[in-house]
Amino acid sequence: MNRILLAIVAILVAGAGFAQNLTVTGNLIEESTGQPLFGASIILKGTNNGTTSDFDGNFTLQDVPAGEILVISYIGFTDKEVAVTSAELGTISLQEDVAALDEVIVVGYGTQRKKEITGAVSVVGAETIEKIKPVRVEQALQGQVAGLQVTSGSGAPGSGLNINIRGVSTNGDNRPLILLDGNVIEDLSVVNPGDIESINVLKDATAGIYGVRAANGVILITTKNGRYNSEMRFDFKTFYGVQETTRKIPVLNATEYGLLVNEAFANGGQSPIFNNVNSLGRGTDWQDEVFDTSPIFNADLTISGGGENSRTSFNMSYVDQKGIVGKEKSKFNRFTARLSHDRSFLKNFKFTSSIIFSGTESSGILENAIGSVLYNALNNAPTFTVRDENGNFTLAEGLGNEVINPRAQLENTYNQTRVRKVAGAFGLNYSFLDHWSIESRIQMNYSEVIGWGFAPVAFYGSGKVFNIERSSVTENTNIFRDYTWDTFATYTNSFNDEHNLNVTVGSSVFQTTGRFVSFTGFDIPNNDPLLASIDNAMMVQNNFINGGNTFDARLLSYFARAQYDYKGKYLFSGVIRRDGSTKFGPENKFGYFPSFSLGWVMTDENFMADNGVVDFLKIRGSWGIIGNDRIPDFRFESNLQGEGEYIIDDVLLFGDAIGPISNPEIKWEEQKTFNIGFDAEFLDNRLDLTFDYFNRRTEDLLVVAPVSGILGDAAPGSGPPVVNAGTVENKGFEVSLSYSQKFNNGLDLTVGGNFTALDNEVLFVNTDNAFLPGGSFGVGQDFPSRMEAGFPIGYFYGLQTNGIFQNQDEVNNHALQQGAQPGDIRFVDINGDGVIDADDRTNIGDPIADFLVGFNFNIGWKNFDFQTFAFASIGNDIVRNYERFQPLTNRSVNFLDRWTGPGSTNSDPRVTTSATGNSLFSDYFVEDGSYLRVQNMQLGYNLPEKVFESSNFDSLRLYVSVDNPFTFTEYRGYDPTASSGAPIGAGIDIGFYPTPRIYRLGLNLKF
């Protein structure tokens, strides 16, 4: 009997246990918005039994015993454990994990957790951008990303900045690929920085997923968007600022100038020209005459919100900036408007869209050139007044052919550029079969650039190259169009709760076209700028009469990527991409470019668990090949793009001729990049450390090689061929470090910095003379820069100096230096042939920094906050080329310490009107361009929440800030941060327009 009862009980228990294995269903939503969560992981705890949620957040999991625990996880949200009490679990909400959200990084055609990233990726978030408050996007990257350098070609309003990622890798176009919400964008001036959610920078082979355009790195910009199931939110920001120059170059006043001019004439055997120097006084400070304090204003409004299946964001902004040189003659204003809308519909479809309109208007002055406004302000004589007794501008007589009155130059400067751009991006995603999705995106850009410039009749002095005897007006209309169509499928799955796989395959099509229209009209009625138009001109000339005013370039690409990890601990990513470009001929049109990366999360190993020191440690490495095709179109074949002049029946006719010399053998430039590094966190994740070593070698460099003139490359419209003829290597390491701490007394502290060491070297140049020249110095001198094997790209090539000749014996005992006298610069006889000539030129410096440094400091206490940002460049050189050495031009105050006799100085030469070699390009003009610049200092105050209890406002922050308050440098020019950005010819300063110092007062209001 007892045995029977026991058997019956055992059968009932077994049957009950079997009956409690359930098929569980549920729905996952975001707690704050109610939006369904697609792709969340649902795992039966302690088993391999799991599934993922569908597009609507629904999931079904079979064979789940009652009373067991389900572990639910989703990127950006806190994991949640749910007890199985019935088959219907209903709606389950997940909370956002702010720390995890910060670690979700946008990569090519998808996102990844920071923990899973195997490449070198840096992120600049909205919070950092908000603190810096840049006028241009590039300024937000300055000093914030290790390995990335931003230099300004000019501080003029609206001027672009140069971005280099991990050095100069080619002598051509070094710009990185920039995508705004997936849309290729070339001109960042049309982007509102206040509308940016994050900027991700891909620096190594992982950028290869974007193919040919990613050879110089990729910058992914993500704009702000609305939130599902949220009320409409308003965010308004505005500031007003006053700008001034950060520096004026000390030059001689009129009395000092008169004394030096008299001395120069006397040393040249001529009579002094100023009889009463004491009567000259201080004279005219031409820099004061051209520099101004000027205003800047910015306003930015964002409206966002969303419903159950959609979200919308609208942003518009306006910025108005006047120049610190010429004020109204140098100005920029920009209006932008962006509308984005995402919508989920049916069961598995998601539609995304974004439309951006931007309009800019700008005016500019002649800058960074011989004869520019600042060049003239430095070289014009202080003894001249701005205007003569008749009220006319004074003439800069006797100062050479290039130096003129800068105020008259500004008065006669008339130009305007208007840009209107519309960009649209639309995408459709369809999810199916639990693990599959397919997405197609189309992105389009259309822009019109309308330019107008008037050159009135003007006389600046005898023989001046800027004299204009015939008025003219030029009107340009340039239209640019491009589109990108990406289609890709993605498979995502987890196997046995250990193996995680993500595979993406797709294609990309890109086309860009342009059309240029330009006419110049002559003889404008009454020399009046108000009448300056083509319609009013007496004669009109078509500037593209022989064509050459269109371009059309296309890319066709196929790509595949596999991402795999085992337990989130061992990581792999591999990419293969096939790119085809119309820049190359049929035999070389397509190229294959592979890349892969590996990662190991060491802290997930048992031997690293609970070590008490390291909270997180990941080792990673990558290698890959990326192609580059950034050369002019159709240089592999001969085209009729040149200008021909023909005489037929004694009549001169204009027609077409062969354009640039073709080279059917040109092929892809290839960049082979290697990276190894680690990410680590310490002190309860308060201290972050990232280290990377990189080596980027660019082979088969696409260069424009000089050829014999007998081939006709100097003919109008022609040019030298493009060839594969060089190798450049950039190698170095990067370190990023940050520490954050929240204290119990309401004090928050964040300190961070980054350091980059960079070594650039040209390994090979295959041209007839084994180098490529570039840049310019002075008037009529040889190229000062070179690309040559064994040296950094664009290094300075000139004479090396060894002090000043102190007496005639030193002159006699030195190598033959034509015309040298005591007080002149002594050049080194490099080749030892006893003669100083062009063969003694050597490496005298280079414009590439050895080290880049960034620093940030943020501290908050209760409602107050203070932050400062700084960046530095160490080891780069700058050529001082803003001095025009004519007998009567003004000079730097350094000439007050000139050589005046034996033993007086060994640094600066004598002054004389006689011909000398002192103005030949040498290291006398090369200076250390290292600097430390404090980029921004800001003090803010957030009004207490109780102030808004009876209002609709959520928060109000007031702040004061200063941009570029301090720059520490030994360089004597206006701005050590400026550079032309040219690979061969960078770092030559002809009077850079300085980046202004800006004092701001602003507010941020949310409601």
Side-chain angles (χ1 to χ4, degrees), residues 121-386:
V121 182
S122 296
V123 180
V124 179
E127 184 179 357
T128 299
I129 299 171
E130 170 64 25
K131 290 174 181 177
I132 297 175
K133 292 181 172 56
V135 176
R136 289 185 59 103
V137 176
E138 300 96 315
Q139 295 166 330
L141 297 172
Q142 210 161 27
Q144 301 302 312
V145 177
L148 185 147
Q149 184 178 27
V150 179
T151 57
S152 61
S154 166
S159 294
L161 291 93
N162 310 306
I163 301 177
N164 284 330
I165 297 176
R166 291 183 168 179
V168 180
S169 57
T170 176
N171 72 319
D173 189 345
N174 280 274
R175 294 174 300 166
L177 172 66
I178 301 173
L179 296 103
L180 179 70
D181 293 329
N183 193 3
V184 176
I185 188 168
E186 297 286 348
D187 181 13
L188 283 173
S189 69
V190 301
V191 179
N192 170 27
D195 193 30
I196 294 175
E197 181 66 29
S198 68
I199 304 175
N200 296 347
V201 182
L202 313 183
K203 298 182 286 187
D204 67 345
T206 54
I209 187 68
Y210 286 108
V212 52
R213 293 171 292 174
N216 300 315
V218 178
I219 298 176
L220 305 175
I221 301 174
T222 303
T223 57
K224 297 175 181 178
N225 209 333
R227 300 183 64 82
Y228 294 103
N229 288 326
S230 63
E231 297 180 353
M232 187 174 294
R233 310 285 298 176
F234 294 82
D235 188 352
F236 177 71
K237 308 168 190 174
T238 186
F239 68 77
Y240 178 83
V242 177
Q243 308 169 98
E244 65 180 15
T245 182
T246 52
R247 188 168 193 266
K248 290 199 306 178
I249 297 176
V251 293
L252 303 176
N253 62 36
T255 299
E256 295 165 338
Y257 167 83
L259 289 170
L260 258 73
V261 167
N262 282 349
E263 182 179 320
F265 273 71
N267 288 340
Q270 299 173 279
S271 300
I273 63 172
F274 294 107
N275 297 321
N276 185 4
V277 173
N278 293 329
S279 66
L280 297 176
R282 301 196 61 83
T284 301
D285 187 329
W286 289 102
Q287 293 181 84
D288 282 347
E289 294 296 330
V290 298
F291 278 121
D292 279 301
T293 57
S294 57
I296 180 173
F297 171 78
N298 178 271
D300 185 304
L301 175 65
T302 299
I303 305 172
S304 62
E308 181 178 354
N309 297 310
S310 65
R311 60 178 179 173
T312 302
S313 175
F314 173 74
N315 172 271
M316 61 180 178
S317 71
Y318 177 76
V319 62
D320 187 9
Q321 184 180 18
K322 301 295 190 297
I324 59 172
V325 180
K327 224 165 191 175
E328 291 291 333
K329 297 288 186 176
S330 173
K331 62 183 180 179
F332 171 80
N333 65 65
R334 177 187 67 216
F335 173 79
T336 64
R338 181 185 63 86
L339 176 65
S340 65
H341 179 74
D342 298 346
R343 176 172 291 275
S344 303
F345 61 97
L346 297 178
K347 184 176 180 181
N348 296 332
F349 286 92
K350 184 176 181 180
F351 172 74
T352 60
S353 63
S354 176
I355 298 176
I356 301 174
F357 169 80
S358 62
T360 66
E361 292 188 2
S362 61
S363 299
I365 62 173
L366 182 61
E367 54 179 288
N368 195 30
I370 292 177
S372 66
V373 172
L374 290 176
Y375 185 92
N376 290 325
L378 293 171
N379 289 281
N380 203 10
T383 52
F384 292 142
T385 57
V386 176

Side-chain angles (χ1 to χ4, degrees), residues 676-972:
I676 188 168
F678 67 83
D679 303 311
E681 296 182 5
F682 308 88
L683 304 177
D684 293 330
N685 301 308
R686 292 194 299 270
L687 179 64
D688 291 344
L689 173 64
T690 298
F691 173 88
D692 283 282
Y693 169 81
F694 61 89
N695 186 304
R696 299 172 64 188
R697 177 178 293 203
T698 308
E699 300 177 349
D700 292 325
L701 227 64
L702 291 165
V703 304
V704 178
V707 294
S708 171
I710 198 172
L711 298 177
D713 66 302
S718 184
V722 175
V723 299
N724 296 97
T727 301
V728 175
E729 182 179 66
N730 289 276
K731 59 185 178 181
F733 65 88
E734 305 166 350
V735 180
S736 297
L737 189 67
S738 67
Y739 177 83
S740 60
Q741 174 83 50
K742 293 182 180 293
F743 299 92
N744 294 331
N745 60 357
L747 185 68
D748 295 341
L749 175 67
T750 302
V751 181
N754 59 76
F755 176 87
T756 304
L758 177 66
D759 179 35
N760 174 281
E761 184 181 359
V762 177
L763 303 181
F764 173 69
V765 178
N766 185 21
T767 60
D768 289 343
N769 48 17
F771 70 85
L772 292 172
S776 64
F777 179 83
V779 177
Q781 295 200 40
D782 204 356
F783 297 107
S785 303
R786 281 190 174 187
M787 175 182 171
E788 185 176 6
F791 302 96
I793 190 170
Y795 81 97
F796 303 133
Y797 185 72
L799 296 169
Q800 183 178 327
T801 64
N802 185 23
I804 305 295
F805 288 117
Q806 298 296 320
N807 51 57
Q808 190 60 43
D809 285 342
E810 291 187 2
V811 175
N812 295 339
N813 294 327
H814 185 62
L816 178 62
Q817 186 170 320
Q818 189 68 35
Q821 294 186 23
D824 289 336
I825 295 174
R826 176 168 48 203
F827 299 119
V828 177
D829 184 14
I830 294 294
N831 63 3
D833 65 355
V835 178
I836 302 297
D837 55 21
D839 293 334
D840 291 304
R841 290 177 295 172
T842 187
N843 176 18
I844 56 175
D846 69 84
I848 299 176
D850 298 319
F851 307 103
L852 301 173
V853 183
F855 172 79
N856 63 82
F857 174 83
N858 300 268
I859 188 169
W861 181 71
K862 296 185 177 180
N863 290 26
F864 291 93
D865 60 82
F866 172 81
Q867 53 258 337
T868 185
F869 298 86
F871 58 91
S873 176
I874 303 170
N876 59 296
D877 299 306
I878 301 178
V879 173
R880 191 181 69 253
N881 190 28
Y882 49 76
E883 299 161 315
R884 183 70 173 103
F885 290 100
Q886 290 287 314
L888 294 176
T889 52
N890 202 5
R891 306 198 180 205
S892 162
V893 295
N894 291 83
F895 275 87
L896 295 175
D897 298 322
R898 67 204 173 280
W899 186 90
T900 55
S904 56
T905 184
N906 203 36
S907 300
D908 292 290
R910 66 190 176 115
V911 291
T912 180
T913 58
S914 301
T916 71
N918 295 334
S919 60
L920 293 175
F921 181 54
S922 69
D923 58 17
Y924 175 72
F925 298 98
V926 179
E927 298 186 19
D928 181 7
S930 303
Y931 65 85
L932 167 63
R933 167 161 286 179
V934 179
Q935 181 183 16
N936 177 272
M937 298 177 69
Q938 184 178 147
L939 177 64
Y941 178 73
N942 292 278
L943 270 66
E945 294 181 3
K946 62 182 180 180
V947 174
F948 308 105
E949 290 178 353
S950 59
S951 69
N952 293 324
F953 297 113
D954 295 326
S955 66
L956 174 62
R957 180 176 183 269
L958 304 173
Y959 67 90
V960 292
S961 70
V962 185
D963 291 357
N964 308 315
F966 307 108
T967 302
F968 304 95
T969 182
E970 294 183 359
Y971 178 60
R972 289 183 273 175

Side-chain angles (χ1 to χ4, degrees), residues 578-596:
R578 182 177 187 257
D579 284 313
S581 172
T582 56
K583 302 292 181 75
F584 305 110
E587 299 299 321
N588 299 309
K589 190 175 296 295
F590 283 91
Y592 290 88
F593 305 103
S595 63
F596 70 89

Side-chain angles (χ1 to χ4, degrees), residues 109 173-179 182-186 207-219 443 445 482-486 508-512 555 557 577 579 626-630 668:
Y109 304 102
D173 189 345
N174 280 274
R175 294 174 300 166
L177 172 66
I178 301 173
L179 296 103
N183 193 3
V184 176
I185 188 168
E186 297 286 348
I209 187 68
Y210 286 108
V212 52
R213 293 171 292 174
N216 300 315
V218 178
I219 298 176
Q443 301 109 29
N445 293 300
D482 68 69
Y483 80 89
T484 304
W485 182 21
D486 297 324
S508 180
V509 178
F510 173 77
Q511 180 182 23
T512 178
L555 292 169
S557 305
R577 182 157 175 140
D579 284 313
I626 306 177
N628 185 15
D629 72 339
R630 296 192 179 186
W668 289 90

